[in-house]
């Protein structure tokens, strides 16, 4: 009876196969270390001048996107407002920095065409300096406050 032809349950071979399937599944999903987050903030207002025509502005945006990609940055995080004014046509922030021109849409399109992601950075808690601007015009209660509940740097 000790001939080795007897079955005694699933055996080690089945366990080894199951282990390999679990291991391969584990390694092919979330256990592999993802690529590190490599991103950078982008200040559109420092990228070009209000005096530049739109073609020049767009060329400068493309130059910044290409520089970021050359340096291994995969995610651009442009600020979407300055001094309480939206840098894009907004239905939420009443004041617009560039009127109807939308540098954010241009940036997103050009960055995606080059394989980069864009995560817009939306400043909401500090907006405007000494007086509420931007979204804080509509919601001054959202402003950052000190321990006495006084607004800090709208």
């Amino acid at each position: 009876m000790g001939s080795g032809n007897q079955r005694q349950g699933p055996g080690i071979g089945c366990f080894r196969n199951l282990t390999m399937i679990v291991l391969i599944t584990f390694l092919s999903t979330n256990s592999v270390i993802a690529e590190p987050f490599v991103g950078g903030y982008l200040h559109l207002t420092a990228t070009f001048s209000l005096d530049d025509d739109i073609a020049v502005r767009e060329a400068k945006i493309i130059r910044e996107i290409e520089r970021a990609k050359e340096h291994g940055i995969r995610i651009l995080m442009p600020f979407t407002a300055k001094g309480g004014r939206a840098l894009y046509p907004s239905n939420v922030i009443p004041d617009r920095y560039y009127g109807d021109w939308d540098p954010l849409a241009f940036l997103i399109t050009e960055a995606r065409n080059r394989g980069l992601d864009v995560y817009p950075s939306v400043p909401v808690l500090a907006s405007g300096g000494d007086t509420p601007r931007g979204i804080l015009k509509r919601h001054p209660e959202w402003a950052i406050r000190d321990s006495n509940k006084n607004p800090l740097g709208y």
Side-chain angles (χ1 to χ4, degrees):
M1 297 254 169
S3 66
N5 292 336
Q6 292 180 320
R7 280 192 84 169
Q8 297 179 5
I12 192 77
C14 181
F15 178 72
R16 185 176 35 217
N17 291 341
L18 178 61
T19 302
M20 289 301 293
I21 290 169
V22 170
L23 181 61
I24 290 168
T25 302
F26 183 71
L27 291 175
S28 67
T29 58
N30 296 333
S31 69
V32 177
I33 297 174
E35 293 182 13
F37 182 95
V38 181
Y41 287 103
L42 180 61
H43 294 270
L44 290 171
T45 57
T47 303
F48 49 81
S49 168
L50 279 172
D51 296 330
D52 293 337
D53 64 30
I54 291 177
V56 171
R57 294 175 189 180
E58 290 177 348
K60 289 180 178 181
I61 289 172
I62 290 170
R63 185 183 72 218
E64 290 301 314
I65 293 168
E66 290 174 349
R67 283 184 53 210
K69 187 167 182 162
E70 288 170 8
H71 288 91
I73 292 174
R74 294 190 314 271
I75 300 161
L76 296 175
M77 299 176 294
F79 287 102
T80 59
K82 178 177 172 112
R85 295 184 288 167
L87 302 182
Y88 61 98
S90 172
N91 294 326
V92 177
I93 301 173
D95 300 324
R96 296 180 180 173
Y97 201 81
Y98 297 112
D100 290 332
W101 182 60
D102 191 348
L104 189 59
F106 181 79
L107 170 75
I108 290 169
T109 299
E110 294 299 322
R112 287 181 178 165
N113 286 344
R114 289 163 177 77
L116 301 178
D117 290 326
V118 178
Y119 299 174
S121 176
V122 182
V124 293
L125 301 177
S127 179
D130 295 336
T131 59
R133 291 190 189 154
I135 192 64
L136 295 181
K137 280 184 172 179
R138 293 184 182 166
H139 295 283
E141 72 275 12
W142 291 359
I144 298 173
R145 300 189 178 267
D146 66 16
S147 60
N148 294 321
K149 301 190 182 194
N150 299 311
L152 292 172
Y154 284 109

